[in-house]
């Protein structure tokens, strides 16, 4: 247990928006724990003297938006609040208390008896580990926030991005009397990127904060070069897909060849499971356009086709006249075939 930190801010005579901060030491915890503190908002006229915010900064990163605040009314003496922070070693975090004054509202904003306790919070829910999410460009990305504790319809639960942007959670369901979960779809997956999110819940007893998890948006692969022509005949084209150099992300789990005549409006797609591929049953002396499609794991993982190979099959040679056939029938079950010029 660590105790003894306090802050008292006299908001009298202050301009609106003036701030005072108290920074806790950077913490690296390796087990479930709870931070609790006492706070007080007091004034003679009964109006709130300002706002008390709490921020959780992880690994020296952005301060972001508050995970807890109090501002609406003055308190009757000291009130206890809890912070259930699910950020563990080797990650570190820092709790920042911020008092913000309001002009024309004299009074005091105070915090006292800040403690780090080696047991779970009694009122603030603790989140289970938030998992990374990987999707392909343009697909829906969904995080699932699961917490231990009792859910109340008055609780506010949201997703907070590393840069401080907050996203409201859409669906909350109770798993059992001591656990609940919530899901949210992240809107912007329009381009290849990596961003970080965490779950935050505000309850009557304080706030719970999960670890940060990555949203990884991958770009489906596209070949840089067209297929390589290895051999050509009157009714076939033998190609090499050239799928080693790509734009986008791997791993590649599927290769396909799409081909059509340059004058037609139809197209066929064949799966390629070898380093080379032979297109059969083509028409002689016809120009074909051949492209390669590549796919990576996940929905929407097939990229746009690569640059085309445009080539023509050979002309058909002369048809050789078959020799004359002679049949010899010896019995109902015995016969003979003889070739002659």
């Amino acid at each position: 247990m660590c105790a003894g930190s306090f802050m008292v801010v006299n908001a009298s005579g202050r301009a609106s928006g003036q701030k005072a901060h108290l920074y806790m030491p950077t913490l690296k915890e390796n087990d479930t724990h709870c931070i609790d503190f006492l706070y007080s908002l007091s004034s003679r006229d009964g109006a709130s003297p300002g706002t008390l915010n709490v921020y959780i900064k992880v690994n020296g990163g952005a301060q972001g938006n508050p995970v807890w605040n109090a501002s609406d009314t003055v308190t009757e003496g000291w009130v206890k609040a809890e912070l259930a922070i699910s950020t563990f070693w080797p990650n570190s975090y820092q709790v920042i208390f911020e008092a913000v004054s309001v002009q024309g509202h004299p009074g005091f904003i105070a915090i006292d008896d800040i403690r780090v306790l080696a047991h779970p919070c009694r009122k603030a829910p603790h989140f289970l580990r938030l998992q990374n999410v990987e999707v392909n460009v343009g697909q829906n990305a969904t995080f699932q926030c699961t917490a231990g504790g009792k859910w109340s319809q008055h609780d506010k639960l949201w997703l907070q991005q590393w840069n401080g942007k907050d996203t409201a959670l859409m669906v909350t369901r109770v798993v059992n009397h001591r656990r609940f979960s919530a899901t949210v779809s992240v809107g912007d997956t329009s381009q290849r990127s990596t961003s970080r999110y965490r779950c935050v819940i505000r309850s009557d007893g304080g706030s719970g904060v999960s670890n940060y998890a990555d949203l990884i948006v991958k770009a489906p692969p596209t070949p840089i070069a067209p297929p390589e022509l290895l051999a050509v005949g009157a009714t076939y084209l033998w190609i090499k897909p050239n799928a080693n150099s790509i734009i986008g992300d791997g791993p590649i789990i599927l290769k396909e060849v799409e081909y059509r005549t340059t004058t037609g409006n139809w197209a066929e797609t064949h799966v390629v499971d070898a380093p080379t591929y032979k297109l059969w049953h083509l028409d002689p002396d016809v120009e074909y356009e051949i492209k390669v499609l590549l796919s990576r794991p996940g929905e929407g993982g097939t990229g746009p086709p690569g640059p085309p190979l445009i080539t023509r099959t050979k002309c058909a040679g002369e048809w050789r006249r078959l020799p004359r056939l002679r049949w010899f029938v010896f019995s109902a079950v015995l016969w003979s075939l003889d070739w002659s010029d």
Side-chain angles (χ1 to χ4, degrees):
M1 180 177 73
C2 174
S5 300
F6 69 93
M7 176 175 70
V8 179
V9 175
N10 185 352
S12 303
R14 303 286 183 180
S16 290
Q18 284 191 297
K19 300 175 182 178
H21 295 94
L22 175 63
Y23 295 85
M24 285 188 64
T26 298
L27 299 175
K28 279 190 176 182
E29 299 297 324
N30 201 28
D31 204 351
T32 302
H33 59 285
C34 181
I35 295 177
D36 70 2
F37 60 94
L38 301 176
Y39 72 95
S40 172
L41 303 177
S42 60
S43 68
R44 291 182 178 180
D45 60 6
S48 175
T51 301
L52 178 62
N53 296 318
V54 176
Y55 301 87
I56 307 295
K57 185 166 67 171
V58 176
N59 292 337
Q63 180 170 295
N65 287 345
V67 301
W68 180 93
N69 61 64
S71 63
D72 293 339
T73 59
V74 296
T75 61
E76 294 182 4
W78 294 95
V79 179
K80 179 179 286 190
E82 297 177 330
L83 301 173
I85 303 169
S86 299
T87 297
F88 302 111
W89 187 92
N91 298 297
S92 63
Y93 71 88
Q94 185 179 36
V95 179
I96 303 171
F97 295 91
E98 177 186 73
V100 185
S101 63
V102 176
Q103 187 174 12
H105 293 271
F108 294 91
I109 304 171
I111 56 175
D112 193 10
D113 199 17
I114 304 170
R115 305 185 300 173
V116 180
L117 306 172
H119 57 70
C121 293
R122 291 180 170 82
K123 293 184 177 180
H126 285 265
F127 282 104
L128 277 64
R129 182 171 182 81
L130 185 64
Q131 301 296 323
N132 294 337
V133 174
E134 181 179 293
V135 297
N136 294 306
V137 168
Q139 303 303 308
N140 292 329
T142 301
F143 281 100
Q144 180 166 322
C145 303
T146 303
K150 293 183 178 179
W151 166 258
S152 168
Q153 61 179 354
H154 302 295
D155 293 347
K156 179 186 177 184
L157 201 158
W158 70 97
L159 203 64
Q160 189 175 79
Q161 199 168 351
W162 180 265
N163 62 10
K165 181 180 179 181
D166 292 335
T167 302
L169 293 183
M170 305 304 294
V171 178
T172 303
R173 65 183 181 90
V174 176
V175 178
N176 54 47
H177 71 286
R178 288 296 298 168
R179 183 168 294 184
F180 59 89
S181 67
T183 57
V184 62
S185 295
V186 181
D188 187 12
T189 60
S190 60
Q191 59 185 358
R192 186 184 188 187
S193 63
T194 300
S195 52
R196 309 193 74 193
Y197 292 84
R198 67 183 177 186
C199 306
V200 182
I201 184 169
R202 172 69 189 275
S203 67
D204 290 339
S207 287
V209 183
S210 79
N211 63 293
Y212 275 108
D214 291 335
L215 170 61
I216 306 165
V217 181
K218 296 286 190 177
T222 300
I224 294 176
E228 179 183 350
L229 183 63
L230 300 178
V232 58
T235 59
Y236 71 87
L237 295 170
W238 198 354
I239 65 167
K240 182 179 180 181
N242 276 345
N244 292 330
S245 297
I246 64 171
I247 300 172
D249 297 298
I252 296 170
I253 60 171
L254 180 66
K255 301 175 187 177
E256 296 174 290
V257 169
E258 179 186 271
Y259 74 98
R260 66 179 184 87
T261 63
T262 55
T263 57
N265 55 7
W266 58 269
E268 285 191 10
T269 302
H270 295 176
V271 174
V272 177
D273 56 3
T276 63
Y277 190 75
K278 198 170 187 179
L279 294 170
W280 293 92
H281 310 304
L282 305 180
D283 293 327
D285 194 26
V286 173
E287 188 175 66
Y288 287 88
E289 178 185 271
I290 307 169
K291 299 179 181 179
V292 174
L293 296 167
L294 304 176
S295 298
R296 68 175 313 277
E299 186 177 354
T302 301
L309 166 67
I310 297 178
T311 187
R312 181 180 291 272
T313 53
K314 289 184 176 181
C315 296
E318 286 190 25
W319 288 100
R320 183 166 58 89
R321 183 185 299 274
L322 291 175
R324 187 172 57 187
L325 302 178
R326 290 187 300 172
W327 289 88
F328 300 92
V329 179
F330 300 101
S331 68
V333 295
L334 183 64
W335 50 271
S336 174
L337 176 65
D338 181 44
W339 296 89
S340 63
D341 295 330

